[in-house]
């Protein structure tokens, strides 16, 4: 019985179920450590800092990996207290594949992979996963939780917008290739090479390293630049509407909870004197 009690306490502390000082303190420590990891990764990329403070970076990364590993294990162990994941094996397996747990795993995985015989060039790429620790903050900060909720809700709409972007990119690259290849065979040597021009034109940044010289190419470029301005308003509108929906729902939920609490207090109080009925 004591084991169940300890497990429940750990679950409450890690998931802020108890809303106690200890839970808030643990969450605060985790947030600070995540942000320090991001700062450490930035400064470690500077050769002068890396050479002078190499000992500190190694020790700090080791401490962070151990801390987050313990947190990961405790979360996996205590998650059976949640009704959604109460099965010992299948529940933990289901929880392990949730987005946040995958982020937790990928954040510590590069360290343990360093003990496996793999190509060192792959390890250098895997170090980027250390930045995923920053996304763990979304568990503890309600504002970031709203952002995650919006992206989950609007995932299908954003996926359609991304598909349209890819489709537009292919059409523009193909059109500019046939329009400019004969005049600029080096700049527009193939459709894949023309995609660089299409990307910077759709984004309306236009570095000027590659640009059309034919009349048809300039026409395509002008149309694509105008479409690009309007196109990037599409995902912005989708995300904005998602924020509006989520915030409105939260306001309605708070208002409903307040109304229910008020009705409960009214039912439990004497209509004449206002005192609680159990005290009369």
């Amino acid at each position: 019985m004591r084991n169940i009690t300890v497990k429940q306490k750990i679950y409450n502390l890690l998931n802020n179920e108890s809303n106690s000082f200890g839970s808030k303190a643990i969450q605060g420590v985790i947030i600070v450590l995540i942000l320090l990891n991001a700062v450490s990764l930035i400064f470690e990329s500077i050769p002068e800092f890396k050479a002078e403070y190499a000992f500190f970076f190694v020790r700090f990364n080791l401490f962070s990996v151990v801390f987050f590993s313990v947190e990961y294990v405790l979360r996996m162990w205590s998650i059976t207290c949640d009704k959604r994941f109460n099965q010992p094996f299948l529940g933990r397996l289901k929880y392990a594949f949730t987005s946040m747990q995958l982020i937790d795993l990928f954040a510590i995985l590069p360290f343990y992979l360093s003990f496996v015989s793999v190509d060192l060039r792959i390890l250098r790429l895997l170090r980027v996963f250390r930045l995923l620790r920053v996304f763990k903050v979304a568990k503890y900060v309600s504002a970031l939780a709203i952002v995650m909720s919006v992206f989950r809700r609007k995932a299908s709409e954003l996926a359609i917008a991304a598909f349209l972007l890819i489709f537009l990119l292919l059409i523009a690259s193909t059109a500019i290739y046939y329009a400019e290849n004969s005049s600029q065979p080096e700049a527009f040597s193939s459709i894949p090479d023309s995609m660089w021009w299409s990307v910077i034109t759709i984004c309306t940044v236009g570095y000027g390293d590659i640009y059309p010289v034919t009349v048809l190419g300039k026409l395509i470029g002008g149309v694509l630049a105008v479409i690009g301005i309007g196109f990037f308003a599409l995902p912005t509108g989708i995300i904005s509407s998602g924020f509006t929906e989520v915030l409105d729902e939260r306001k309605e939920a708070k208002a409903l909870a307040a109304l229910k609490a008020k009705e409960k207090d009214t039912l439990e109080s004497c209509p004449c004197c206002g005192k609680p009925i159990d005290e009369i």
Side-chain angles (χ1 to χ4, degrees), residues 105-126:
L105 179 62
F106 289 142
I108 61 176
L109 196 59
F111 175 81
Y112 295 106
L113 286 180
S114 63
F115 297 102
V116 182
S117 179
V118 293
D119 192 341
L120 292 178
R121 289 174 297 177
I122 297 177
L123 287 179
R124 286 198 292 269
L125 293 175
L126 289 175

Side-chain angles (χ1 to χ4, degrees), residues 1-216:
M1 188 69 182
R2 180 177 175 79
N3 186 44
I4 297 177
T5 304
V6 172
K7 182 187 290 188
Q8 184 68 52
K9 286 182 178 179
I10 291 176
Y11 173 79
N12 292 339
L13 287 173
L14 292 177
N15 294 277
N16 196 27
E17 294 294 329
S18 59
N19 200 28
S20 62
F21 173 78
S23 178
K24 293 182 182 296
I26 290 175
Q27 293 175 37
V29 170
I30 292 174
I31 291 174
V32 170
L33 188 57
I34 292 169
L35 296 178
L36 287 177
N37 268 265
V39 174
S40 172
L41 185 63
I42 293 171
F43 280 97
E44 192 178 358
S45 66
I46 303 175
E48 294 80 5
F49 278 91
K50 185 176 182 180
E52 186 172 355
Y53 301 102
F55 179 83
F56 167 78
F57 288 130
V58 171
R59 292 296 183 272
F60 179 71
N61 187 47
L62 178 61
F63 169 77
S64 300
V65 169
V66 171
F67 182 92
F68 289 125
S69 298
V70 172
E71 182 206 4
Y72 182 85
V73 171
L74 290 177
R75 284 186 181 278
M76 292 297 297
W77 175 62
S78 63
I79 195 58
T80 52
C81 295
D82 192 323
K83 294 180 180 180
R84 298 171 297 172
F85 312 101
N86 56 4
Q87 294 181 332
F89 177 74
L90 293 178
R92 288 190 174 100
L93 183 64
K94 180 181 177 182
Y95 180 63
F97 282 94
T98 58
S99 58
M100 284 302 175
Q101 278 302 97
L102 287 175
I103 288 176
D104 289 356
L105 179 62
F106 289 142
I108 61 176
L109 196 59
F111 175 81
Y112 295 106
L113 286 180
S114 63
F115 297 102
V116 182
S117 179
V118 293
D119 192 341
L120 292 178
R121 289 174 297 177
I122 297 177
L123 287 179
R124 286 198 292 269
L125 293 175
L126 289 175
R127 287 169 64 87
V128 178
F129 279 121
R130 288 170 57 190
L131 283 173
L132 291 174
R133 294 173 186 166
V134 177
F135 290 97
K136 286 158 59 67
V137 176
K139 290 180 179 178
Y140 313 106
V141 182
S142 59
L144 290 179
I146 293 175
V147 174
M148 299 294 289
S149 177
V150 169
F151 276 94
R152 281 195 298 267
R153 174 174 299 200
K154 297 297 181 180
S156 58
E157 291 89 341
L158 291 173
I160 293 174
F163 172 77
L164 292 176
L165 174 60
I166 295 173
F167 180 74
L168 178 62
L169 180 64
L170 291 174
I171 294 296
S173 301
T174 303
I176 199 67
Y177 166 74
Y178 285 108
E180 293 290 326
N181 177 255
S182 58
S183 300
Q184 302 185 78
E186 294 182 358
F188 299 92
S189 59
S190 65
I191 292 177
D193 288 336
S194 302
M195 286 184 180
W196 166 247
W197 174 86
S198 300
V199 169
I200 62 174
T201 305
I202 291 175
C203 296
T204 66
V205 291
Y207 290 123
D209 53 344
I210 301 176
Y211 55 90
V213 294
T214 65
V215 175
L216 181 59

